[in-house]
Amino acid sequence: MSMEAMVFLFGVIVGAGLLFVKVFFVILISDLEVDYINPIEMCNKLNQLVLPEMFVHALLSFIYLISGQWIATAWNLPLVAYNANKIMTGKHMYDATEIFRTLGQHKKECFIKLGFYLLSFFYYLYR
Amino acid sequence: MTPGPRPPLSSSASSPGPMTRPPPPGSAPQDPNSPHMQNALRRPSTTSGPPTMPSSPLMQRPPLPNGPPSSGSQSHPSPLQRPPPVGGVQRVSSPMMRPNMSLPGSPGMPRPYQSPQIQSRPPPFMGQGQQGSAPGSQPAAPMGYNAGPPNGGPTGYAQHPSQPTTPRMQHQTQQPPGFQSPMNQQQQHQQHQQQQQQTPQFAPQQLMQPPMQGQDPAASGMVVGPPTPTPQMGGAQKPKRVYPTGMNSFQEPTSSYDTGFQPAAAQGVPPPQFGAADPSMQAPGQGLFVPGEKQAPTFGHPVPAYQQGLQPLAGQPLQPGVNQLAGQMGGMNLNAGYAGQGPSLSTVALMGTAPKIFDLEAPPPTINLPANASITQSPHANCDPSYKRSTLNAVPATSQLLTKSRLPFGLVITPYRSIKEGDEPVPVVSDSVIARCRRCRTYINPFVKFVEGGQRWKCNMCYTLNEVPSSFDYDSQTQQPVDRWQRKELNHAVVEYIAPTEYMVRPPQPLVYMFVIDVSYPAIQCGMVATAATTILESLDRIPNDDGRTKIGIITAASGEPQMLVVSDLEEPFLPQPDDLLCNLSECRSTLDILLNRLNDMFKDTQNVGNALGPALQSAYKLISPVGGKILCLQASLPNIETGALKVREDPKLLGTSKESTLLQSASSFYKTFAVDCSKSQVCVDMFLFGSQYSDVATLSCLPRFTGGSTFFYPAFTAAKSEDALKFAHELAEFMSQRIALEAVMRVRASKGLRMSAFYGNFFVRSTDLLSLPNVPRDQSYSIEISFDDNLTIPTVCFQTALLHTSSSGERRIRVLTLALPVTNSLSDLYMSADQVAITTLLACKAVERGMNSKLDDARDALTNKCVDILGVYKTHMTAASNGATPNLQICDNLKLMPLLTLGMLKHVALRGGSQIPSDLRSYAMHLFSTLPSQCLIPYIHPRFYALHNMPEHCGTIGTDGIQMPQPMNLSSERLERAGLFMLEDSQNIFLWVGREAVPALCNDLFGVPNYESIRGGKTTLPTLETDFNQRINLIIGKTREMRRTPYYPQLYVIKEDGDAALRLWFLSHLVEDRAEPIMSYYQYLGHLKDRVNNGSF
């Protein structure tokens, strides 16, 4: 098995993982909207996953970078930059006190990321 | 950090409360308000939880914040111990109220720090009490008080007879001109009296007397009516002074104006529409003689206030005082409000005239409900504006209409306003019959409909049919039929239920006060600790402690200097003896006394400058989180050790730039996280901040913001100044003695199609429409924005606020506020019913939020844009000018003060631009913006300004309805005179401005000093002298401090015209109509608005 295949196999697995994480995010956010979960609990659950998700994504991008997969790297870099920026400004965590004011934003972001991971997944799979 | 000495150990063993909490009552829902939980409630036998809910843990409602997970079985008899319900309306007059000033000999509370002028005040204010008992007696003759003014009358202080008065001011024509000789004035005054006696409106057959308590209404041979002041009798003259003796009670409806929460300024100046509505008011009045109330006019029509005297409150004995107060309340919202407006929209031009500031006190626009909207004709069927008011008293039918009008739509709710002497207590439904809609969980209210012969009721929110509980008609205990129409929930819009056990997840918690006192060097040095200890000691008796369960604990926070019990591990604070540190107030009283007496001495030699607030808070939290309660944090230095340490981050370079808002945001995530934890455990944190230097109000006020607490800020506090100590002591004592509500949740329901979209105030939003408030302090206001889900096809909409809480007497209660509003399709109705005061309150909250989260510039622009939008849309759609440029700005009469109030906000410390405002002060002002109730917020934005040197002689004397206040003036420095004495108050501070040519007589009479030069400026207490003028001013100041329901104690500053420049500028910055670089004057601002409106940039 070539190096490239290995990298993309890894990408597919990680991509699927990220996809699941994002689905979990979306589920929890819609639960909050219909009042099945309270915001404190939801934020505690999601905040555990925020950093791992970003880290795993950054790691994947880094692997693409060192293995010379320029297209995959270019595809992933904007999100890495976006995540990094969020961490820098300290806005990456879900804040229970503000959650209802920012829920729309979070939801939009989650759906965009979900779409992004989905596309990535199929790209890694069929490439 | 050293927890204080521990009190005796006997406390916890005998205190039954939550420390020994019984198992939870099965899977009792945490929030019975929630529709989801209702299923569980309805099927007590199901042990598997609500059937409609998926069993996945994700999908289940979260467990109660405090309660153990809902796992028990329903068959568990829950040993809830609740004190027997307090029957009826036996509301103890709450000690949070100021001691009763109306009874001269009343014992009151021990208030040693009280200023002498208050203590020595003659019996004032609520004159109704006296009147009620002796309706025929003559009121304390105001003339006698200041007959023959010793100093040649107040006019004697005006030195410049030629001082021009501004002709624009309408009210000035009504005021005795200041430059007349005393003689002339008196003559004129008498003439005036005679004129009024001849005024035809007051002919006896039209005079109406409200039935007094214990007096047969029919026996009092007169019809009661609102005062029908005619334009010529308005102004400075109080009508009461001219009535024949027997007619005193005639004053009642007006006096509700004055002694209520909006007193003074508008005295004697009825809103212009008052007189106009006269005929319509009298028509229903005739109906009064018919004993049956059912014949009373329909709700949509003016309901005279006097009616309430006739209607015994349902199901409760006629209580002296209560009904009369009820009458006043009714007079306030119904009488005045309903009579208010004719059907047509009256457009006024803004430019070229001074704003008519009296209308700030005017009642909100009429709520013109369709006839028979309420099932009972009770005058209390709709909510009083002091509890809940809407920005629009007619709801647009479609969201397009709302968008088109550009008016903000929201509610301003003060659910737990204080009940002062003279206010109607909230009726209590004590029989545990709580009828709610089975679908939307709305509580039954006066706007539901009974159908099928009264067997069912139709919910007015979702139109579901519900069974009427049988106990509405039949009392199974006494086996007697009862009259359902007498039920309080069908007659009152504001009602309180005593909640049965389904509304509890645990026994009602006791009051727990945990003091976290900073004892570091700065705190000791500024005298905060000593003052606090004394105040707490003296207030112990005022803390609500009805059933002896109240607990107190004290933690002192410094940095690990060994004292008593030392918690040396700051990283993982633990409690050596968790139960014993919290002591029962009744049982450990003597220990507490000893501790508080020694507190200051224990630390007086400290050199410790470290403060570990974070660990102290964590310990306090551990201590009280099983119970819930209140942490009162007294902080005089910036926490600088361990968790929660803060840095001095004030950077003058950032002030005035777009980065400024970072200083207004929380600096440490600890406080937010901690606040969330507290909210979960029903712990509320209150902050008393004393800053000689930077104290990071922005960060520390996060704790109160999310836990339903309050913040108090004392910049440059030093107890050596008795005024500082007095203010703090007063506020702390008042705050501790408030009868607060505990472990509360609040939900606002609205008719189908409307949704609560944004919430402003101090609470934690726990779900899309559920607010969690560990504590509900009195008189805190919450603003809620409403948006449309759907168009409305119904004639009336309803907003119902339910506040499920534990009262400070340990009862679980639900307070329900119902407000019904008509729906309209017309833009003009919408404009006509807009309430500028509520709009300003809502916009202030929104502006603060915008300012904190993005930029202050944005917040200011948003305010101006909103104003331009409203004016522009009004011009386009409501005036003939439509699109063309117009020479003037036009707006409907009830919104005419919007530009002024907007300008007031733009110039306020909370939002003003510039680099001069320290972020602490700004943060605190922002905090007040989002929590003050309307009656305090409006003066905070647009202060009241009085001329005292030439006030009419009855001002500052005691009239039948309390101390009479002078006429408020427009906030413009044109009004200042060189020889004048002016007072300006913004509900937080009082300024006395002394002109540099003040005559020696004035200085002598008021300050007891020979001349202007000897007057000491700055923070001060006015001496109490024997002179008439001094006594009157002291009374006016006393009244100013009393007249709004609020724990705040405005501090008095004397400003000399040539004195301290900073003070003078501070004073002048309150003059909203003046130009204050770089912000425009009122006229410039109007010009600016006009240009933008004419350019169509809206």
Side-chain angles (χ1 to χ4, degrees):
Chain A
M1 206 194 255
S2 72
M3 183 64 187
E4 189 184 341
M6 287 281 283
V7 165
F8 277 100
L9 181 62
F10 181 72
V12 166
I13 294 167
V14 169
L18 290 175
L19 209 53
F20 277 120
V21 168
K22 238 32 245 190
V23 169
F24 180 65
F25 272 52
V26 171
I27 290 176
L28 279 202
I29 287 178
S30 24
D31 274 3
L32 184 67
E33 279 183 332
V34 291
D35 201 11
Y36 282 150
I37 189 170
N38 90 34
I40 304 172
E41 212 172 307
M42 179 204 124
C43 291
N44 288 344
K45 281 184 179 167
L46 292 193
N47 283 339
Q48 290 173 355
L49 294 173
V50 169
L51 282 180
E53 180 217 322
M54 289 180 178
F55 175 75
V56 167
H57 180 256
L59 183 75
L60 183 63
S61 312
F62 183 69
I63 289 175
Y64 284 134
L65 182 68
I66 54 172
S67 60
Q69 300 297 331
W70 305 121
I71 300 176
T73 312
W75 169 247
N76 278 306
L77 261 186
L79 184 60
V80 175
Y82 174 76
N83 286 342
N85 178 46
K86 265 177 101 178
I87 294 177
M88 297 289 200
T89 50
K91 293 200 174 107
H92 55 294
M93 288 296 189
Y94 289 81
D95 180 352
T97 56
E98 310 265 313
I99 190 77
F100 284 102
R101 233 165 22 83
T102 51
L103 199 60
Q105 250 167 280
H106 286 308
K107 205 173 167 190
K108 206 166 85 187
E109 189 194 308
C110 273
F111 274 112
I112 292 175
K113 279 192 176 177
L114 187 64
F116 178 87
Y117 290 140
L118 201 66
L119 285 178
S120 317
F121 177 76
F122 285 110
Y123 173 71
Y124 307 150
L125 192 62
Y126 290 112
R127 194 184 163 280
Chain B
M1 182 212 58
T2 62
R6 65 199 170 92
L9 312 184
S10 61
S11 63
S12 72
S14 59
S15 75
M19 300 298 253
T20 57
R21 194 167 41 194
S27 53
Q30 164 185 14
D31 167 31
N33 275 354
S34 148
H36 301 292
M37 295 321 290
Q38 210 39 47
N39 290 322
L41 282 184
R42 302 218 141 230
R43 289 164 221 222
S45 57
T46 6
T47 49
S48 58
T52 53
M53 287 198 241
S55 55
S56 133
L58 278 183
M59 298 305 228
Q60 283 191 343
R61 277 185 70 84
L64 297 177
N66 256 341
S70 46
S71 57
S73 97
Q74 285 284 6
S75 59
H76 243 307
S78 62
L80 290 177
Q81 30 103 4
R82 182 162 57 101
V86 181
V89 199
Q90 177 248 13
R91 280 185 74 89
V92 195
S93 71
S94 71
M96 65 160 297
M97 300 193 277
R98 305 286 313 255
N100 178 1
M101 293 301 175
S102 68
L103 303 174
S106 77
M109 306 295 176
R111 301 163 62 77
Y113 41 79
Q114 190 164 29
S115 71
Q117 76 263 30
I118 294 185
Q119 279 175 344
S120 64
R121 183 182 316 148
F125 293 359
M126 312 292 182
Q128 302 87 8
Q130 297 151 355
Q131 276 193 9
S133 56
S137 71
Q138 194 156 6
M143 288 301 288
Y145 198 105
N146 59 352
N151 305 304
T155 51
Y157 296 122
Q159 207 184 38
H160 292 287
S162 57
Q163 182 77 30
T165 51
T166 319
R168 288 196 298 267
M169 285 296 298
Q170 198 194 15
H171 66 278
Q172 287 220 338
T173 58
Q174 298 157 350
Q175 202 173 343
F179 43 82
Q180 280 185 343
S181 76
M183 180 69 149
N184 267 344
Q185 199 194 8
Q186 266 184 346
Q187 280 172 354
Q188 197 198 36
H189 182 66
Q190 281 161 6
Q191 276 177 2
H192 207 124
Q193 285 188 354
Q194 283 166 5
Q195 271 178 7
Q196 288 188 4
Q197 274 166 347
Q198 291 158 4
T199 310
Q201 277 84 349
F202 297 99
Q205 65 271 23
Q206 281 189 321
L207 277 179
M208 308 189 250
Q209 189 173 22
M212 293 297 157
Q213 276 64 45
Q215 196 182 348
D216 183 359
S220 75
M222 287 187 226
V223 188
V224 191
T228 54
T230 50
Q232 73 261 34
M233 67 152 290
Q237 294 291 339
K238 290 298 291 180
K240 73 177 97 42
R241 304 180 62 191
V242 301
Y243 295 145
T245 318
M247 304 295 171
N248 299 330
S249 48
F250 174 78
Q251 267 304 303
E252 286 308 311
T254 336
S255 62
S256 70
Y257 253 58
D258 295 334
T259 53
F261 56 97
Q262 296 178 328
Q267 272 189 353
V269 189
Q273 60 270 56
F274 225 92
D278 193 22
S280 68
M281 290 303 298
Q282 288 187 356
Q286 316 286 325
L288 248 192
F289 288 119
V290 187
E293 305 90 91
K294 295 283 191 290
Q295 296 179 18
T298 55
F299 191 68
H301 292 284
V303 179
Y306 42 82
Q307 250 190 319
Q308 292 128 40
L310 286 176
Q311 293 188 340
L313 292 178
Q316 77 190 51
L318 195 62
Q319 293 184 347
V322 171
N323 283 342
Q324 192 177 352
L325 307 177
Q328 290 169 10
M329 298 281 292
M332 207 145 44
N333 67 335
L334 299 170
N335 188 359
Y338 275 56
Q341 293 204 340
S344 67
L345 191 64
S346 62
T347 298
V348 292
L350 288 173
M351 304 178 77
T353 52
K356 293 196 182 67
I357 52 171
F358 311 110
D359 284 0
L360 284 176
E361 308 295 323
T366 327
I367 300 175
N368 292 309
L369 285 174
N372 298 322
S374 89
I375 44 171
T376 53
Q377 300 307 331
S378 162
H380 305 292
N382 217 349
C383 197
D384 186 276
S386 62
Y387 287 98
K388 173 148 92 171
R389 64 202 290 177
S390 166
T391 57
L392 302 174
N393 277 342
V395 177
T398 62
S399 61
Q400 290 80 14
L401 184 61
L402 180 65
T403 323
K404 188 174 157 196
S405 75
R406 308 289 179 96
L407 290 165
F409 185 25
L411 297 173
V412 177
I413 307 178
T414 316
Y416 221 60
R417 56 155 274 202
S418 53
I419 307 290
K420 293 239 172 184
E421 197 97 357
D423 296 340
E424 183 204 12
V426 178
V428 180
V429 179
S430 49
D431 58 4
S432 312
V433 178
I434 303 182
R436 299 178 67 180
C437 172
R438 62 195 151 89
R439 189 156 125 214
C440 65
R441 310 307 303 153
T442 298
Y443 295 79
I444 199 167
N445 58 64
F447 300 95
V448 301
K449 292 276 172 283
F450 284 112
V451 293
E452 298 179 17
Q455 292 296 302
R456 292 167 174 238
W457 59 277
K458 194 179 200 180
C459 172
N460 54 333
M461 304 272 189
C462 67
Y463 299 97
T464 309
L465 288 182
N466 298 280
E467 299 289 334
V468 174
S470 58
S471 32
F472 264 48
D473 297 315
Y474 189 76
D475 187 342
S476 53
Q477 288 200 326
T478 60
Q479 305 206 327
Q480 296 288 320
V482 287
D483 181 6
R484 76 163 62 156
W485 302 105
Q486 297 297 317
R487 287 196 69 89
K488 285 166 207 153
E489 59 266 46
L490 297 180
N491 285 285
H492 292 266
V494 182
V495 77
E496 227 170 55
Y497 294 95
I498 293 184
T501 47
E502 296 96 80
Y503 292 83
M504 304 177 202
V505 285
R506 57 173 189 175
Q509 68 166 84
L511 264 179
V512 178
Y513 287 79
M514 190 80 222
F515 292 91
V516 175
I517 303 176
D518 176 10
V519 289
S520 61
Y521 177 71
I524 298 289
Q525 211 217 3
C526 74
M528 182 275 278
V529 178
T531 318
T534 321
T535 312
I536 295 170
L537 183 61
E538 282 162 355
S539 307
L540 285 180
D541 285 328
R542 293 179 67 195
I543 293 181
N545 189 14
D546 295 346
D547 47 3
R549 295 197 300 158
T550 302
K551 288 172 192 287
I552 301 275
I554 294 176
I555 290 183
T556 57
S559 64
E561 184 175 303
Q563 294 277 351
M564 304 289 175
L565 278 177
V566 185
V567 178
S568 52
D569 187 353
L570 288 175
E571 313 236 319
E572 287 281 320
F574 72 101
L575 296 169
Q577 278 137 320
D579 289 352
D580 304 325
L581 288 171
L582 206 56
C583 73
N584 184 295
L585 175 60
S586 318
E587 291 163 16
C588 308
R589 186 57 204 272
S590 52
T591 327
L592 272 172
D593 287 356
I594 296 168
L595 167 66
L596 287 166
N597 278 323
R598 285 188 48 213
L599 191 63
N600 193 47
D601 292 339
M602 291 194 308
F603 298 99
K604 68 173 186 287
D605 299 321
T606 187
Q607 292 299 320
N608 199 332
V609 291
N611 177 281
L613 177 66
L617 281 174
Q618 283 170 335
S619 307
Y621 173 74
K622 281 195 179 169
L623 204 52
I624 70 172
S625 63
V627 193
K630 198 175 194 51
I631 300 178
L632 289 105
C633 221
L634 291 92
Q635 193 66 19
S637 53
L638 203 60
N640 50 9
I641 298 176
E642 289 298 328
T643 332
L646 297 171
K647 288 194 195 70
V648 179
R649 55 175 176 147
E650 178 91 323
D651 181 357
K653 284 199 289 288
L654 288 185
L655 296 181
T657 68
S658 59
K659 287 263 169 63
E660 183 172 0
S661 55
T662 55
L663 295 179
L664 304 172
Q665 290 163 355
S666 170
S668 154
S669 64
F670 166 76
Y671 292 96
K672 256 188 180 174
T673 325
F674 186 73
V676 170
D677 289 343
C678 285
S679 170
K680 226 159 58 175
S681 310
Q682 309 292 359
V683 173
C684 158
V685 186
D686 298 292
M687 280 284 168
F688 287 78
L689 301 171
F690 306 83
S692 46
Q693 287 137 18
Y694 180 69
S695 13
D696 208 341
V697 177
T699 305
L700 294 178
S701 69
C702 255
L703 288 172
R705 183 169 334 130
F706 298 114
T707 59
S710 313
T711 306
F712 294 81
F713 181 47
Y714 306 90
F717 178 85
T718 161
K721 257 200 158 16
S722 64
E723 288 82 18
D724 273 356
L726 178 70
K727 178 179 164 70
F728 163 54
H730 179 100
E731 291 179 357
L732 178 61
E734 202 71 352
F735 189 71
M736 282 170 65
S737 55
Q738 276 185 357
R739 297 189 78 83
I740 52 172
L742 309 160
E743 40 180 5
V745 286
M746 182 161 87
R747 170 167 271 144
V748 182
R749 295 183 174 84
S751 296
K752 225 158 109 186
L754 297 174
R755 183 168 48 88
M756 308 298 132
S757 56
F759 303 89
Y760 307 94
N762 284 3
F763 44 67
F764 177 70
V765 188
R766 212 170 62 195
S767 131
T768 40
D769 60 344
L770 185 70
L771 310 178
S772 135
L773 299 121
N775 275 190
V776 191
R778 291 281 177 177
D779 298 316
Q780 213 171 68
S781 165
Y782 311 96
S783 302
I784 299 178
E785 218 177 351
I786 301 169
S787 62
F788 276 81
D789 273 344
D790 209 351
N791 293 343
L792 303 170
T793 52
I794 43 182
T796 49
V797 292
C798 206
F799 300 95
Q800 191 174 64
T801 307
L803 179 76
L804 174 64
H805 65 278
T806 300
S807 71
S808 50
S809 52
E811 266 184 316
R812 200 72 175 144
R813 290 187 171 203
I814 311 161
R815 180 171 283 200
V816 177
L817 320 171
T818 312
L819 176 70
L821 298 175
V823 175
T824 182
N825 265 313
S826 97
L827 198 58
S828 66
D829 279 356
L830 213 54
Y831 271 100
M832 208 166 66
S833 64
D835 177 356
Q836 57 194 358
V837 168
I839 290 178
T840 307
T841 313
L842 179 65
L843 289 183
C845 291
K846 291 184 68 160
V848 163
E849 171 133 344
R850 180 71 81 85
M852 272 201 252
N853 291 321
S854 69
K855 280 184 286 195
L856 284 166
D857 275 337
D858 291 356
R860 288 189 291 265
D861 290 348
L863 283 175
T864 303
N865 289 342
K866 185 49 98 181
C867 219
V868 171
D869 285 352
I870 294 174
L871 290 166
V873 172
Y874 190 84
K875 191 191 93 172
T876 319
H877 296 283
M878 292 288 133
T879 63
S882 154
N883 284 322
T886 43
N888 207 329
L889 272 179
Q890 292 181 313
I891 189 70
C892 52
D893 189 61
N894 50 310
L895 285 177
K896 63 177 178 290
L897 295 173
M898 270 295 290
L900 181 65
L901 289 170
T902 307
L903 186 65
M905 286 193 268
L906 295 181
K907 291 191 175 180
H908 198 275
V909 173
L911 296 170
R912 191 186 337 165
S915 53
Q916 303 300 315
I917 301 167
S919 57
D920 274 350
L921 287 180
R922 201 190 281 279
S923 282
Y924 184 59
M926 286 179 148
H927 163 81
L928 292 178
F929 257 42
S930 51
T931 56
L932 282 183
S934 296
Q935 85 270 8
C936 291
L937 182 67
I938 296 301
Y940 194 47
I941 290 170
H942 184 279
R944 291 216 195 138
F945 186 36
Y946 309 104
L948 298 184
H949 59 285
N950 59 357
M951 61 181 176
E953 59 197 75
H954 64 82
C955 295
T957 62
I958 299 148
T960 43
D961 48 356
I963 296 163
Q964 307 185 42
M965 299 292 278
Q967 293 275 323
M969 300 190 301
N970 283 71
L971 285 170
S972 152
S973 53
E974 285 170 34
R975 309 271 166 189
L976 291 174
E977 293 167 27
R978 288 179 145 207
L981 173 72
F982 296 85
M983 179 173 131
L984 184 142
E985 60 97 6
D986 68 351
S987 85
Q988 301 293 316
N989 294 297
I990 300 174
F991 303 93
L992 271 185
W993 191 91
V994 192
R996 73 173 80 197
E997 288 173 23
V999 289
L1002 184 146
C1003 305
N1004 190 34
D1005 285 352
L1006 182 58
F1007 299 100
V1009 295
N1011 51 27
Y1012 172 74
E1013 283 70 34
S1014 337
I1015 298 175
R1016 202 169 53 87
K1019 233 178 252 180
T1020 185
T1021 308
L1022 216 52
T1024 312
L1025 304 177
E1026 286 303 301
T1027 60
D1028 171 72
F1029 191 60
N1030 176 281
Q1031 286 171 355
R1032 284 163 57 200
I1033 302 287
N1034 268 328
L1035 281 178
I1036 289 177
I1037 291 172
K1039 165 127 183 178
T1040 305
R1041 287 178 170 153
E1042 298 269 327
M1043 67 188 177
R1044 303 196 179 94
R1045 299 180 301 264
T1046 162
Y1048 300 103
Y1049 182 81
Q1051 204 152 34
L1052 180 70
Y1053 292 84
V1054 170
I1055 315 278
K1056 292 172 72 175
E1057 188 181 352
D1058 54 2
D1060 184 359
L1063 270 178
R1064 213 177 65 236
L1065 283 178
W1066 186 24
F1067 169 79
L1068 292 175
S1069 74
H1070 290 90
L1071 298 175
V1072 170
E1073 288 177 33
D1074 280 353
R1075 181 176 169 80
E1077 294 296 339
I1079 318 171
M1080 296 170 254
S1081 74
Y1082 179 63
Y1083 298 101
Q1084 288 172 313
Y1085 188 63
L1086 283 183
H1088 171 72
L1089 292 178
K1090 187 191 78 179
D1091 291 346
R1092 290 191 50 190
V1093 167
N1094 282 341
N1095 292 337
S1097 58
F1098 55 86

